[in-house]
Amino acid sequence: MTRRIAIVGTSNIGALKYAAPAIANEFPDLALTFWGLPGGKFSDCAVDAAGILRPAPDDREAIKLARRINGAEGIDLSVVDATLVIADTMGLPQILFVAGHYDVVAWAARHDRPLLSEAAFHAALAETVTAAATDIARRFAGASPLYLARAPYPTTVVTRRGPLRLEPFASIATHPEAVRIERLYTVALSRALSAHAVTLVAQPSDTIAAPFLTRPEFGQAAGDFRAADRVLDDHRHMNAAFGASLFRAFALALGPTTVGADPRPPIEE
């Protein structure tokens, strides 16, 4: 039986959209429908009482953009078997900012920065991801089962000197506790989402160069989801190879059936 999958989200849905032919070959029992808006506009989208994900009703610009990009103002999530949301950064830059500007007392690595207790770091982490997860749950109320992948890590290009350098990702690349921070963040986000019956689809390990950074080859020849003939080489919008890898991770979380399935347990430490 063919299952209907909605893939919705920010401009980062482009990676999966342009991987659609490869996904169809690998998963012939899954039928995909895409709907997206640029991040700033997508953050105001919500599911209405009829189960339709649409822009804010008073945002005429977003409505016009949705029609141009997707061919429809909204997408009916009540008729699909599962929804994968390609979200924003889900609080990650804030957490990396804290990690980069404070030394956690219980951790061995120190940089002569202001001290922060481990309990305070965990509290900041929990507060940040809980707020992000609660917002997703509010906007997608009634859509079930719901899966979420956060925006991809930027590529290693952002750690170099020059116009593409991007903080706080550049500074965290050399942080001696980066592995620990990535694990704590992923576990906390998974738990926060699970509390709202949302399953986290973590970025696949084969795409990751280092904690919080994507391998540069996944940013090459990335399709722009707004225009089928536009190709990008950048540090944020990933290509079809990335999209295929992410979809495999989603398919694994989805499992062989979605009927009556409970959300996957949160990722554990």
Side-chain angles (χ1 to χ4, degrees):
M1 181 181 71
T2 300
R3 288 180 288 172
R4 296 160 295 180
I5 307 298
I7 299 177
V8 303
T10 67
S11 55
N12 289 302
I13 70 168
L16 289 96
K17 188 173 184 179
Y18 290 102
I23 292 170
N25 287 333
E26 190 169 352
F27 302 96
D29 61 329
L30 301 178
L32 310 186
T33 303
F34 295 89
W35 191 93
L37 281 172
K41 294 297 184 183
F42 184 74
S43 64
D44 291 329
C45 293
V47 176
D48 65 16
I52 299 174
L53 176 67
R54 61 172 77 246
D58 58 346
D59 191 340
R60 301 181 69 176
E61 180 185 354
I63 292 170
K64 182 178 179 180
L65 194 60
R67 289 171 176 161
R68 180 177 68 79
I69 294 172
N70 306 291
E73 179 180 326
I75 179 171
D76 190 351
L77 300 184
S78 70
V79 299
V80 301
D81 296 296
T83 299
L84 172 61
V85 180
I86 309 299
D88 60 13
T89 58
M90 298 299 289
L92 180 57
Q94 294 94 310
I95 296 305
L96 296 187
F97 180 88
V98 171
H101 286 77
Y102 292 88
D103 286 338
V104 177
V105 176
W107 299 353
R110 296 289 180 85
H111 297 87
D112 294 325
R113 292 173 179 146
L115 296 177
L116 190 70
S117 72
E118 190 167 34
F121 181 82
H122 281 277
L125 176 55
E127 176 73 18
T128 302
V129 297
T130 296
T134 301
D135 181 64
I136 288 292
R138 175 189 62 80
R139 291 167 51 211
F140 285 85
S144 179
L146 192 63
Y147 298 78
L148 180 138
R150 59 168 306 285
Y153 297 152
T155 71
T156 54
V157 170
V158 304
T159 64
R160 304 171 186 166
R161 294 184 182 277
L164 292 182
R165 187 174 176 86
L166 181 66
E167 295 294 351
F169 294 92
S171 59
I172 208 70
T174 57
H175 198 295
E177 298 286 359
V179 171
R180 184 204 298 260
I181 297 164
E182 184 180 44
R183 174 175 52 82
L184 290 174
Y185 170 79
T186 302
V187 170
L189 179 59
S190 177
R191 288 176 175 167
L193 289 168
S194 183
H196 294 286
V198 181
T199 300
L200 174 65
V201 180
Q203 181 166 333
S205 59
D206 66 299
T207 69
I208 296 175
F212 309 115
L213 294 169
T214 296
R215 289 165 50 189
E217 58 266 34
F218 288 103
Q220 297 167 359
D224 186 340
F225 89 120
R226 296 165 296 182
D229 59 348
R230 186 181 300 164
V231 175
L232 308 171
D233 281 333
D234 71 15
H235 58 283
R236 293 186 301 113
H237 297 90
M238 304 305 154
N239 58 24
F242 181 94
S245 181
L246 181 59
F247 191 86
R248 290 186 197 102
F250 163 69
L252 184 63
L254 184 67
T257 179
T258 57
V259 178
D262 293 325
R264 292 298 176 104
I267 295 172
E268 297 295 340
E269 295 183 64

